Amino acid sequence: MTDRADPPRTSRTAPAALAAALGYGALQGWWALDGAPSFGRLGTDLLVVPRWGAVGLCAAAALLALGLHRARRHRPGLCAAAAAVAVALLLGCPFLLLDAVGGLLPGLHLPRSAAGFLSRAGCAATAVLLAAAVLDHRRRLRGDCPRCGRTGGPHDPAARTRTPRWARGAAYGAVGACWLRILAQYGLGFGDPGPLGASGAVSLAVFETGFVLAGTVLPLSLVHRWGRDVPRRVPWLGGRRVPRGLLLGPAAAVSAGLLVYFGVGIGQLVGETLHPAPHPGDLPLSFLWVAMPAYWLWGLGLGAAALGYGRATRPPCRACGR
């Protein structure tokens, strides 16, 4: 017999989302009334979302988190509204991608600001917690199993651990989009990076290596067997199980960064295309219309492959076996 667990009666993440929304909204309201600090070369902490718009989104997030916490049955409309607010908050902090790359590789000298980073991190944390509250709501109040919330018919272990065909196609699509971006740069020319110094040269080499690995090895590892078990020919580690988080963490982070940053960038590109203005030294629109959608499709394919990997490698529930 399986050890069935009682379903959790209240959400564990909605209170955290409520606290984050109230705290971050109060900060943005203070800055709107008293003036925000300097954000360095970027000049701002958030994009797309104005200061009072962020306050309004946080107020909506707090109300929705409270509704998710108090709900006693599944409410699809409430979930849809909360998901929309979470996406809007995420779209406000695309510069988090620059913060991450600049923090890991300071030799690249990307624009950085402690105040801007903390603001964007707070905005993203509020969005992630609200999205987690939506998933928690669905798990508690919609799923068949009171422990894991999964739905479906009888458990088929072979089907559960099989890589979905759509995930495999998404992974190869991510690889193709990455190489499309590289070919676009090759057609434009690589140019002279200028004097970087020793630390800058090392950071650039690490960035380019990580760029290629994240666009080829990472998506393919999510859909091939060697992404689950280390090949036996590998010394010392051969035959061992690959920890799920070792691939899912970087894949989710890279996918989210690419989708948000270049999703906002494509929106700005549409505006520049419809209302062109001369900007000396800017990259040509023809190049940007290839490179930026390629980045976005790369993130989309990587995210879909990560979703398939997560579903295929998740441990079975101790209550329902699914």
Side-chain angles (χ1 to χ4, degrees):
M1 296 179 63
T2 58
D3 180 22
R4 292 187 66 87
D6 292 331
R9 296 182 181 276
T10 59
S11 172
R12 299 176 181 178
T13 52
L18 173 61
L22 291 175
Y24 186 69
L27 175 67
Q28 287 290 342
W30 178 33
W31 284 351
L33 293 172
D34 197 46
S38 172
F39 297 115
R41 283 189 290 163
L42 290 175
T44 184
D45 57 338
L46 303 179
L47 283 181
V48 181
V49 181
R51 189 77 57 205
W52 283 112
V55 175
L57 285 175
C58 286
L63 291 174
L64 291 167
L66 184 62
L68 291 170
H69 179 63
R70 291 184 172 180
R72 291 298 177 265
R73 60 186 179 87
H74 181 238
R75 297 185 178 276
L78 186 65
C79 290
V85 171
V87 170
L89 286 168
L90 276 180
L91 291 177
C93 46
F95 286 151
L96 265 180
L97 182 62
L98 298 182
D99 293 328
V101 175
L104 293 173
L105 301 171
L108 295 178
H109 302 296
L110 294 176
R112 298 170 63 190
S113 162
F117 166 69
L118 292 175
S119 174
R120 290 186 283 271
C123 185
T126 303
V128 170
L129 286 172
L130 184 60
V134 172
L135 295 177
D136 188 43
H137 172 88
R138 289 170 57 87
R139 181 182 68 83
R140 290 183 300 113
L141 302 175
R142 187 186 179 195
D144 294 339
C145 176
R147 186 185 187 94
C148 68
R150 294 168 188 164
T151 59
H155 172 53
D156 181 0
R160 186 182 66 82
T161 59
R162 190 180 302 121
T163 299
R165 185 174 299 177
W166 53 263
R168 190 178 297 271
Y172 279 93
V175 174
C178 173
W179 281 102
L180 176 61
R181 168 64 182 89
I182 294 174
L183 290 175
Q185 188 66 53
Y186 181 81
L188 180 68
F190 291 90
D192 182 9
L196 295 175
S199 63
V202 171
S203 294
L204 182 61
V206 172
F207 173 78
E208 292 177 344
T209 302
F211 182 98
V212 174
L213 291 177
T216 55
V217 176
L218 181 57
L220 294 180
S221 68
L222 296 169
V223 296
H224 287 283
R225 191 67 193 178
W226 48 270
R228 304 189 194 184
D229 300 292
V230 180
R232 295 191 177 277
R233 59 179 177 273
V234 177
W236 300 298
L237 298 176
R240 295 189 178 185
R241 192 74 172 171
V242 177
R244 297 175 76 235
L246 188 64
L247 298 180
L248 278 179
V254 172
S255 172
L258 293 177
L259 287 173
V260 173
Y261 186 85
F262 290 101
V264 173
I266 291 172
Q268 294 176 328
L269 185 60
V270 170
E272 292 180 8
T273 303
L274 295 176
H275 305 284
H279 296 288
D282 279 2
L283 295 170
L285 288 177
S286 57
F287 167 78
L288 294 176
W289 270 115
V290 175
M292 297 185 75
Y295 272 123
W296 195 85
L297 291 173
W298 173 3
L300 183 64
L302 183 60
L307 179 62
Y309 179 86
R311 291 178 58 181
T313 59
R314 67 187 180 188
C317 175
R318 289 181 297 173
C320 68
R322 285 194 290 266

